[in-house]
Amino acid sequence: MLSRKGIIPEEYVLTRLAEDPAEPRYRARQRRARFVSKKGNCNVAHKNIREQGRFLQDVFTTLVDLKWPHTLLIFTMSFLCSWLLFAMAWWLIAFAHGDLAPSKGTAEPCVTSIHSFSSAFLFSIEVQVTIGFGGRMVTEECPLAILILIVQNIVGLMINAIMLGCIFMKTAQAHRRAETLIFSKHAVIALRHGRLCFMLRVGDLRKSMIISATIHMQVVRKTTSPEGEVVPLHQVDIPMENGVGGNSIFLVAPLIIYHVIDANSPLYDLAPSDLHHHQDLEIIVILEGVVETTGITTQARTSYLADEILWGQRFVPIVAEEDGRYSVDYSKFGNTIKVPTPLCTARQLDEDRSLLEALTLASARGPLRKRSVPMAKAKPKFSISPDSLS
């Protein structure tokens, strides 16, 4: 319970419950605040906004951005207030024409069967929601009553269009579709094609596809300019690659998206030891595309802190061919395995390629020592799966 709420890290829960109360307790190091949460929410608080009137210039977007209790309250009050306002107008028309007096005689009233404010309120509801019970109706006696009838119908249509459109947009918001776009909990750094690569896995749980899906990545860290200016959230775009090249992806099955750590990468000088001490590093991943069923553009976001990047590991394959079609095992979506990886930066690996050659020789000799077969009889086998091609 405590670990889910983030009060105590998961790896310390059992230790906390079994420790001796007499022993001194040590507080875990406070984690760096995220710029983007794992669920994609931006962790930014806007304060001291003086020009609040700017939000009223776009009333529809403001209503859509409100929370559901506030939206439902405004929805109810907009209809209730309009009914009361026009009920007052109908009551004043009847009062001015003398329809409320019991000794009026046989003169034709402006609106039939209006004898009090309650009956005027019921007639206002009937006019605006087009419910006619047959007991009350506008006559030709008062031209002002006909004008009020026209105005109330126009106002009612406008309120219906705005409020119903607001409810529809809140139920069909783009981030609802993004709930089924998932990212791996951890990112990994390992060798791919002889280069150190930053890799993550992305998948879509729905069968309806994301059209024209593109993926972007940014590194956010605190930097200081040569002039001494401190930039708390310095954002640097870095290219992401996939099996077909470019940022566009065909997300019909989970894919491994990777970034080659080269001389142009902000991770060029990142070492394994920095993942435990580099508290200012955060990598933001943004997936954007068009929902096939609704045509609405959606965006899914996540981030990885330094301690959520695993060095020297690789994602396990989860796509297999069964009964003539490909099946995806999502229970292994975030599983990784350790692979031989040099414990150095990409810069050091480019400057000294002998590190890679030594690692290749060590990994090639490892299986031979475990097997008791001659080298000539040992035939390596390679298996290629769709997931490994991503």
Side-chain angles (χ1 to χ4, degrees), residues 231-334:
V231 183
L233 296 174
H234 182 59
Q235 304 179 25
V236 180
D237 290 329
I238 56 177
M240 296 290 290
E241 299 183 15
N242 54 76
V244 297
N247 290 336
S248 299
I249 58 177
F250 184 51
L251 198 59
V252 67
L255 298 176
I256 297 178
I257 310 299
Y258 67 95
H259 159 67
V260 178
I261 305 177
D262 52 14
N264 297 324
S265 172
L267 307 178
Y268 196 50
D269 295 317
L270 183 67
S273 59
D274 297 334
L275 298 180
H276 302 284
H277 306 288
H278 204 307
Q279 297 298 316
D280 292 331
L281 176 65
E282 181 177 358
I283 299 177
I284 300 174
V285 182
I286 303 173
L287 173 63
E288 187 174 2
V290 179
V291 182
E292 183 181 23
T293 54
T294 62
I296 301 175
T297 302
T298 185
Q299 186 181 92
R301 299 178 295 267
T302 190
S303 68
Y304 299 95
L305 297 181
D307 57 355
E308 295 173 343
I309 302 174
L310 307 178
W311 191 283
Q313 298 200 30
R314 183 176 58 198
F315 292 104
V316 300
I318 62 174
V319 180
E321 187 175 355
E322 296 179 359
D323 300 330
R325 64 177 182 178
Y326 293 100
S327 63
V328 181
D329 186 5
Y330 280 98
S331 64
K332 303 178 181 178
F333 185 82

Side-chain angles (χ1 to χ4, degrees), residues 336-355:
T336 60
I337 56 174
K338 292 184 178 181
V339 293
T341 306
L343 299 177
C344 63
T345 65
R347 180 188 297 274
Q348 295 172 348
L349 186 62
D350 290 343
E351 294 175 352
D352 188 2
R353 300 299 294 181
S354 62
L355 297 174

Side-chain angles (χ1 to χ4, degrees), residues 158-174:
M158 293 179 62
I159 294 176
N160 287 337
I162 295 175
M163 299 312 301
L164 294 180
C166 176
I167 296 297
F168 171 76
M169 290 302 298
K170 285 188 70 66
T171 55
Q173 280 184 340

